[in-house]
Amino acid sequence: MADSEDEEAFHSAGEEEVTPPSQKSEEKPSKSGQPSSTSSGGASGKKEVQNVGKPNSKKAKGKKGKKKKASMNDKGDNSEEMKGEATMSEKDAAVSSETDQQDTKQQPHSETQLEEQNQPDADVETAEGVKSELKSDKKEERTSAVEDTPPESSKKENLKEQDDSSPKKEDSQPESELAEEGGDAKAKTDSQVPEEEEQKPHVKEDAEQLLETGSEINRDAQGASPEPSQDDDENKTLETDERTGESASASSKQTDAAEDAEAGGGRSIMGALSKLTGEKPAEKKASGGGWGWGGWGASLVSSVSAVGHGLSSVIENVETSLGLPKPEELTEQEKRQQEFIVTLDERGEGKEGKEEDGDKDEDKDEETKDPGEGEEMERDGGKEGEEEGDEKQDQSTPEDQPSVPSSMKGFLSLGASAITSVVGKTVTGGLDALETIGRKTMDVLQEGEHRLEGRRSGQKGNLSEMLRDAKEEAETAAVLEEEERERQRAHFGILFDKYQGLAHLEALEMISNQSESKVQGSLSTLSGEDLQSLKTELIEIRDAFQLEDLESEEQPEGSEQDFVNAITEHLFGVSVASTPDKLQRVQRSVHEWLAECKSQQEAAQKQDTKELHIKAIETLAEFSSRVIEQFHKACELMLLPQDREHTKNAVQRATSLSKLTSVLATEVSNQASKFADCLNREAANQEEGAETADVNPLITNIYLEASNSTSYIQDAFQLVLPVLQMVAIERKRDATTETS
Amino acid sequence: MSYAYLFKYIIIGDTGVGKSCLLLQFTDKRFQPVHDLTIGVEFGARMINIDGKQIKLQIWDTAGQESFRSITRSYYRGAAGALLVYDITRRDTFNHLTTWLEDARQHSSSNMVIMLIGNKSDLEARRDVKKEEGEAFAREHGLIFMETSAKTAANVEEAFINTAKEIYQKIQEGVFDINNEANGIKLGPQHSPTNPTLPSQGGGQQGGGGCC
């Protein structure tokens, strides 16, 4: 990067250096007047004094903080994030406990990151962010190089810087991720990795004497991962990613700290703390007088658990707190909230935030979801193992501390109880509202997007992931739907219904059942000789009414004309005034189609096997529908009163009907085998191998549906029998009434 | 295609009043001036949408000829709705309504929704039955009434859909027992009362697989 830029950065940093503390000290007392805020103001002042030897790095830091803030402000998330911090601590714990899971998820991400990185049209903001951060990094390097005179301190600073810089980069990411849905921001991180790595060795060398402090922490944090900076970074990326929708950026720093603490134990907690507050001297002191700090740490733990209680009570009391509070309460709550923001601001070393909390309801909502979810996740994480559970315990400690540390110095003597009450109140006051708003928002969101429901409780509390999943789900659903449509196009049952075959079958069944009951009724009224003669006649009809299955198989494949002749003849044999128009039309068109197909195939024109299959099934469905319609119509006509004048007796009719059914069944199998031939030819035309394998199930399916079709036809045929018998009985009755 | 309900309709009325034309207009949106005499019963089906629910109407268009009367009577059973059609240009078709109505009431479920239709409303010049008469008849017998024209398609959709709405409302009121198919209502393959939030693809598969 050009020197001029660095210079610029430097200057700007210098300017900012002045502003943040002053503003802080102005704002805090005025808005809160609470000890914690003032103390932090004091803390920064103290810092200044203690760090005289290294103003540059200080500046750099201040500048970085500012940068971060600025980028946050662009999105207007800042204060929410800050507020959300404390609540998120739980979630963070869960997040890091789930790191293992994340690691697997992370892989695909990093690929996209690389791609995105290469894209020139990366988000402007992101680009800027990178630039500014690079600037600061460069500057730090330079600072440490130039200011080798007070080596210890500068090195330390560098160390700190380094520690800080990575989380800060992370910090700015969630916002851009918010807008960009992930990728770009991560790309940013990646781009920074080399920088950091460059920097690290240098820092580490210098800092070797200081191993007991910052670098140790650093290492500790990295201890779990083989690749120090990269892995650390990735973890962070993941964490931020996890939280993308909820814009938990501010806490990523803490998460970082939490990680440190997790690995490094008590001392690293302190390290993290001091990192958070930016108090090197304190840290030094801490490492020196570890026990005193340890004791303090212990009291912190207790305060944290108190805060935890506060949290749970908050969650329990959401409804009550939503109820109209008194004006005094309201103002008090507001005040508390502001305090809270201030406290959080200090942590982030920023100055903005509270001014903006008005127009951030949306973001707040998003964020407030976290507490509840965090709990869930934590609970879930608890199952994962004791170790992780312990880690969480540890994590929650440092993470809740942030609100404490700033006030810590001034009020160390006050003891844990005071801190606890302050923190408790603050957290409670701020969270009440956020929690409720968040829940409501979630309800609204879930109402609109049912797909998102359940996923919320599915412990994958990451909006981008959720949306990605929802999208994928929708895509698969669309594919399935498409397949389903395709399948339905070739589904015999559906097509059979489409051609009204099912309706005709149903209607046929109705009149058949009715005839059946009439036959039974007639039999019950008769007795003696009449009954015997009727029974004999009915049995004769039934005997004639048998399908000669084997015979039909042996019938030679008749021509189209043979078929028409045969069915006309047989229908005439049934002596119904019904012409098989529809049946003939279907049959003719099928054969025309098959012939056309054959000629096309012989002309080496490619046919889609799938389409052939669909056509085959469609044809079978249509043909059998028409057959059933024919049977249905025949029955209806036989039942007509004028039908009784026909001369043909029932046995003759039964025989004709049987033959007709055989012809029709043969026709079905003819068509099926012709379609199968068609498919086989197609397979032969195309390359051997994959295509043939593709065709076989289709052919099998055609034969299957052909047998299906035949069984429908035979069922329909059987339904005609009672009608025939009924007609015979009525005729007989007519005859007897006539004679008598 | 998946649907929530299937309603069975029957169309009844004297021969030549335009039953088959009404069906053709409703299902195919076309008009055929010369129509073959219906033998027994013919069928038509169409999907409609009521309250965001897909409903399949399975329509049984019966023969109006006197000789088919005994056969068509057997088809009344299991109908959820009936369109009782007369021709506004032929008073005798109006006069026969009582017989038809008796037939329908006798051979079908008592909850069957009956829509009285005065067809051929396009032939205003040849009108023989006043609209008021039709309205009065419908009021008297508790029917829904509408004048339609299968030729111009006037009110045809409305006639079918309003009947379906009435049936649907009866279902909501619990008058119809949807699990009793004798009422002429079938649940669609997709419809699963125990799990209404079932994703559509699951229901589709179910429907696809359940047919054979």
Side-chain angles (χ1 to χ4, degrees), chain B residues 149-166:
Chain B
S149 166
K151 191 176 184 179
T152 66
N155 271 344
V156 173
E157 293 249 321
E158 288 82 349
F160 283 90
I161 288 168
N162 289 355
T163 312
K165 278 182 183 163
E166 187 80 9

Side-chain angles (χ1 to χ4, degrees), chain A residues 630-642:
Chain A
Q630 196 66 61
F631 281 137
H632 177 215
K633 291 284 163 242
C635 286
E636 286 177 332
L637 289 167
M638 281 192 285
L639 285 168
L640 286 177
Q642 55 262 43

Side-chain angles (χ1 to χ4, degrees), chain A residues 691-703:
Chain A
E691 289 297 336
T692 35
D694 189 29
V695 148
N696 284 332
L698 297 180
I699 292 174
T700 315
N701 185 256
I702 289 173
Y703 280 123

Side-chain angles (χ1 to χ4, degrees), chain A residues 480 484 487-488 491 497 500 503-504 506-507 510-511 514 582 629 632-633 636-637 639-642 708, chain B residues 1 8 39-45 56 58 60 67-68 71 74-75 77 186 201 204-205 208 211-212:
Chain A
L480 278 173
E484 188 57 32
R487 233 162 52 85
Q488 286 189 359
H491 191 285
D497 184 32
Q500 303 297 354
H504 281 291
E506 192 185 335
M510 286 172 97
I511 52 175
Q514 209 172 27
K582 285 184 182 176
E629 185 180 356
H632 177 215
K633 291 284 163 242
E636 286 177 332
L637 289 167
L639 285 168
L640 286 177
Q642 55 262 43
N708 214 343
Chain B
M1 272 210 263
K8 177 183 166 182
I39 298 168
V41 67
E42 287 297 335
F43 303 98
K56 183 176 178 180
Q58 173 74 54
W60 295 44
S67 54
F68 283 105
I71 296 167
S74 35
Y75 299 138
R77 243 193 52 209
K186 287 179 195 167
Q201 73 263 30
Q205 278 165 353
C211 282
C212 45

Side-chain angles (χ1 to χ4, degrees), chain A residues 134-146:
Chain A
L134 289 181
K135 265 189 237 164
S136 51
D137 285 344
K138 276 268 163 145
K139 188 162 58 74
E140 281 157 33
E141 275 183 284
R142 206 179 48 162
T143 313
S144 55
V146 170

Side-chain angles (χ1 to χ4, degrees), chain A residues 247-520:
Chain A
S247 57
S249 59
S251 57
S252 65
K253 193 164 146 195
Q254 285 163 10
T255 321
D256 194 26
E259 269 177 21
D260 291 351
E262 200 181 297
R267 245 205 299 181
S268 352
I269 292 178
M270 295 180 296
L273 264 179
S274 20
K275 266 198 284 174
L276 284 165
T277 27
E279 284 160 293
K280 268 294 146 160
E283 191 182 318
K284 257 194 259 171
K285 241 191 259 168
S287 51
W291 283 115
W293 279 95
W296 178 84
S299 65
L300 260 186
V301 173
S302 67
S303 76
V304 161
S305 60
V307 173
H309 282 305
L311 274 175
S312 54
S313 68
V314 165
I315 290 154
E316 282 164 22
N317 293 329
V318 178
E319 285 86 1
T320 23
S321 65
L322 229 210
L324 293 171
K326 289 172 204 159
E328 307 99 73
E329 274 176 12
L330 262 177
T331 39
E332 215 200 325
Q333 219 173 28
E334 206 170 79
K335 222 196 262 170
R336 273 199 234 129
Q337 235 165 332
Q338 279 172 345
E339 279 163 29
F340 188 52
I341 299 159
V342 171
T343 332
L344 293 163
D345 273 1
E346 281 161 16
R347 256 187 284 136
E349 291 167 279
K351 44 193 170 126
E352 301 100 323
K354 55 187 148 187
E355 292 93 345
E356 283 165 34
D357 67 315
D359 45 32
K360 289 166 198 159
D361 285 355
E362 278 284 335
D363 297 316
K364 263 190 221 168
D365 297 347
E366 292 268 16
E367 222 152 292
T368 4
K369 280 175 268 165
D370 282 0
E373 205 172 53
E375 277 175 356
E376 271 175 29
M377 292 175 87
E378 200 173 39
R379 258 182 266 124
D380 194 51
K383 287 175 222 151
E384 281 170 25
E386 283 174 49
E387 210 186 22
E388 276 168 347
D390 289 345
E391 279 169 11
K392 255 174 275 154
Q393 280 278 4
D394 287 341
Q395 277 170 342
S396 57
T397 315
E399 272 159 35
D400 276 295
Q401 283 162 3
S403 21
V404 183
S406 41
S407 56
M408 176 182 85
K409 240 185 255 130
F411 288 81
L412 205 54
S413 55
L414 285 184
S417 59
I419 295 166
T420 308
S421 67
V422 170
V423 171
K425 268 189 204 168
T426 322
V427 170
T428 316
L431 287 183
D432 271 353
L434 295 177
E435 170 76 22
T436 340
I437 296 165
R439 291 206 168 186
K440 288 217 157 177
T441 319
M442 210 46 219
D443 286 348
V444 172
L445 276 176
Q446 285 178 346
E447 261 173 51
E449 276 278 8
H450 286 294
R451 280 173 193 275
L452 299 183
E453 209 172 3
R455 201 152 325 186
R456 254 353 260 191
S457 49
Q459 282 96 34
K460 288 181 187 171
N462 167 343
L463 186 61
S464 72
E465 178 132 334
M466 224 162 78
L467 291 171
R468 210 175 5 252
D469 281 359
K471 183 182 151 249
E472 277 165 16
E473 207 166 274
E475 276 170 0
T476 35
V479 169
L480 278 173
E481 221 169 273
E482 185 57 39
E483 279 173 2
E484 188 57 32
R485 247 200 305 278
E486 194 72 7
R487 233 162 52 85
Q488 286 189 359
R489 276 184 69 200
H491 191 285
F492 183 81
I494 289 165
L495 291 167
F496 186 67
D497 184 32
K498 180 186 154 196
Y499 289 110
Q500 303 297 354
L502 222 48
H504 281 291
L505 197 59
E506 192 185 335
L508 180 57
E509 225 167 273
M510 286 172 97
I511 52 175
S512 175
N513 289 340
Q514 209 172 27
S515 303
E516 176 76 43
S517 59
K518 273 187 190 168
V519 168
Q520 295 302 327

